[in-house]
Amino acid sequence: MPDVGEGLTEAEILKWYVQPGDTVTDGQVVCEVETAKAAVELPIPYDGVVHELRFPEGTTVDVGEVIISVNVAPGAAAEQPQTAQPAAEEPAAKDAAGTGEPAQPTGRQPVLVGYGVAETSTKRRPRKGATAPAEQVAAGAAAQAAVQGELNGHTPAAPVAPAPAAPASRPLAKPPVRKLAKDLGVDLATVTPTGPDGIITREDVHAAVSLAAASVAAPAAVPVPQPAPRPEPQPEAAVAGGTRETRIPIKGVRKATAQAMIGSAFTAPHVTEFITVDVTRTMKLVEELKSDKDMAGLRVNPLLLVAKALLVAIKRNPEINASWDEAAQEIVLKHYVNLGIAAATPRGLIVPNIKDAHDKTLPELAASLGELVSTAREGKTTPAAMQGGTVTITNVGVFGVDTGTPILNPGESAILAVGAIKLQPWVHKGKVKPRQVTTLALSFDHRLVDGELGSKVLADIAAILEQPKRLITWA
């Protein structure tokens, strides 16, 4: 398992795209793995023939573990794959035994991504079962190989009954849909696609689950002694076959989010302040910008101006853009703003950020926001895009709620929650009129942000949204 960076120590194998005996080329994607922060496709850095898949899909593997071996020797295609081993502990011995794997060099070497683990890395605790007797290892390996073949849709070597022909190509589906199908135990090859160009959608996966549940419940509704099924027992069978609880393994993004939120909530003393503001002028400006030629082709929405307002407020109050270094007992002032945007995705909550957002013009900021959102929805956000944030915006208003008390992203000093923009009665120029109003909430780390500073920042954001011309006068 390669080191995909950002301090990650393990990853789960979501999907194998090859099987033993397949020919691969340098740079070809062989599997998809999920870290605590993103789903990543891993390429192979060799030309040759796949010799062995060390772990089945769904296995969480430590960084540094060998997950695949490739025979790069001439005539490798004619050789028979050897028995799989549970862990790659003696690569030199395997090479001497004639498996065809290249000998391991003494220094760091290129792997699927980067250059692997340094020689001085801490040795990991051996996995359970690694010292099992040779007979158990061989039997387990054979069973694993058989299961692996079935998981990848390959026909066993000696099938009892004729197996269906393998599909010509892999079913078309986006990574979040593949993850959903895997969690629900659905084989995408059996799903009928309804999306454009034959792409399988989330609805197709749920429909396949419903169809499978119906097919399971139907036989149970037929009494065995009777020659024909009776309709009366069907409700009882549905109840008996129903599931009142579903247990979902805590892993991937959900596990990382839980750990981060617990760490933040019980480390940084949170303070949340609220303000309700008339944003009617801001909404008018949004409509004007949509027809501006400089914003042509860009997504213009209230979030764009909220983000710009926050950046101006930070410029006026730079002490808010900081972090707490517990080890050094220092407050680290950031002279740059990496603006995080909380995004709800099928894989869970992620917070990618716009690097150096403080230096961007309004069109550049709009372009960066559009790219960030589309990448997150497609499940292609990289781990690097979620690192180094300084402040964050969470737009809970898209769900129709007024506001919330957001928890800080670890390592950051503040997070702004934006509520729904609603038409409400408001006193404007001495008269009660219908105005577009929203509520803002700013949570900050009270260790390094005093109430005065937090209040100034929130008041500045509200003032800009109430009178957006301050984007010019204050910037």
Side-chain angles (χ1 to χ4, degrees), residues 215-474:
S215 63
V216 170
V222 181
V224 176
Q226 300 183 7
R230 296 177 58 186
E232 292 79 4
Q234 288 182 1
E236 297 181 2
V239 173
T243 301
R244 293 172 60 86
E245 294 181 352
T246 300
R247 290 183 173 267
I248 302 174
I250 302 174
K251 56 185 179 181
V253 172
R254 176 59 58 193
K255 181 178 180 180
T257 300
Q259 293 173 343
M261 292 300 97
I262 291 174
S264 176
F266 293 99
T267 300
H270 285 55
V271 172
T272 304
E273 294 185 340
F274 306 88
I275 190 168
T276 303
V277 58
D278 176 6
V279 295
T280 304
R281 292 186 178 91
T282 291
M283 297 304 292
K284 291 180 180 179
L285 179 58
V286 168
E287 295 303 317
E288 293 175 4
L289 289 174
K290 289 181 178 179
S291 59
D292 192 292
K293 63 179 182 179
D294 291 332
M295 305 296 288
L298 298 175
R299 181 179 176 86
V300 179
N301 54 22
L303 179 61
L304 172 62
L305 295 186
V306 171
K308 194 64 177 178
L310 175 58
L311 293 172
V312 173
I314 292 174
K315 184 176 181 179
R316 288 168 54 84
N317 305 274
E319 296 85 359
I320 191 74
N321 191 39
S323 64
W324 182 275
D325 189 338
E326 181 67 29
Q329 286 295 291
E330 295 175 340
I331 295 175
V332 183
L333 297 178
K334 309 292 179 65
H335 304 298
Y336 59 91
V337 180
N338 290 344
L339 181 61
I341 305 294
T345 72
R347 298 178 60 246
L349 176 67
I350 62 174
V351 188
N353 60 75
I354 300 172
K355 309 299 182 185
D356 296 322
H358 64 290
D359 283 338
K360 295 185 181 295
T361 63
L362 193 63
E364 291 172 343
L365 187 61
S368 298
L369 271 172
E371 181 181 0
L372 179 148
V373 172
S374 61
T375 302
R377 287 177 177 173
E378 294 172 1
K380 297 181 179 179
T381 303
T382 63
M386 293 182 280
Q387 293 297 306
T390 59
V391 294
T392 293
I393 296 176
T394 175
N395 186 13
V396 297
V398 297
F399 304 110
V401 300
D402 293 334
T403 191
T405 55
I407 297 178
L408 293 169
N409 204 30
E412 299 180 11
S413 60
I415 179 171
L416 176 69
V418 184
I421 299 174
K422 300 178 180 179
L423 200 62
Q424 297 183 13
W426 195 262
V427 178
H428 178 67
K429 296 181 180 180
K431 296 181 179 180
V432 177
K433 297 181 179 180
R435 304 286 288 180
Q436 291 177 298
V437 178
T438 189
T439 300
L440 307 175
L442 183 71
S443 292
F444 50 86
D445 186 344
H446 213 357
R447 294 176 300 179
L448 50 89
V449 179
D450 294 332
E452 178 186 10
L453 176 58
S455 300
K456 286 182 177 180
V457 172
L458 185 58
D460 281 354
I461 297 170
I464 294 171
L465 295 178
E466 187 174 15
Q467 294 283 354
K469 65 182 181 181
R470 292 189 172 104
L471 287 172
I472 300 175
T473 58
W474 286 1

Side-chain angles (χ1 to χ4, degrees), residues 39-63:
V40 181
E41 291 183 333
L42 299 182
I44 194 78
Y46 305 108
D47 293 331
V49 175
V50 177
H51 176 65
E52 183 181 4
L53 304 179
R54 299 292 179 89
F55 296 95
E57 295 171 355
T59 304
T60 299
V61 183
D62 292 333
V63 169

Side-chain angles (χ1 to χ4, degrees), residues 55-95:
F55 296 95
E57 295 171 355
T59 304
T60 299
V61 183
D62 292 333
V63 169
E65 292 267 17
V66 176
I67 61 175
I68 184 174
S69 59
V70 177
N71 195 331
V72 297
E79 296 186 12
Q80 183 72 18
Q82 303 297 315
T83 303
Q85 299 294 331
E89 298 177 354
E90 299 178 359
K94 289 189 176 184
D95 185 63

Side-chain angles (χ1 to χ4, degrees), residues 15 19 57 143-156 187:
K15 181 71 175 179
Q19 66 160 337
E57 295 171 355
Q144 176 178 318
V147 172
Q148 179 64 56
E150 294 180 6
L151 287 173
N152 289 326
H154 302 304
T155 305
D187 183 1

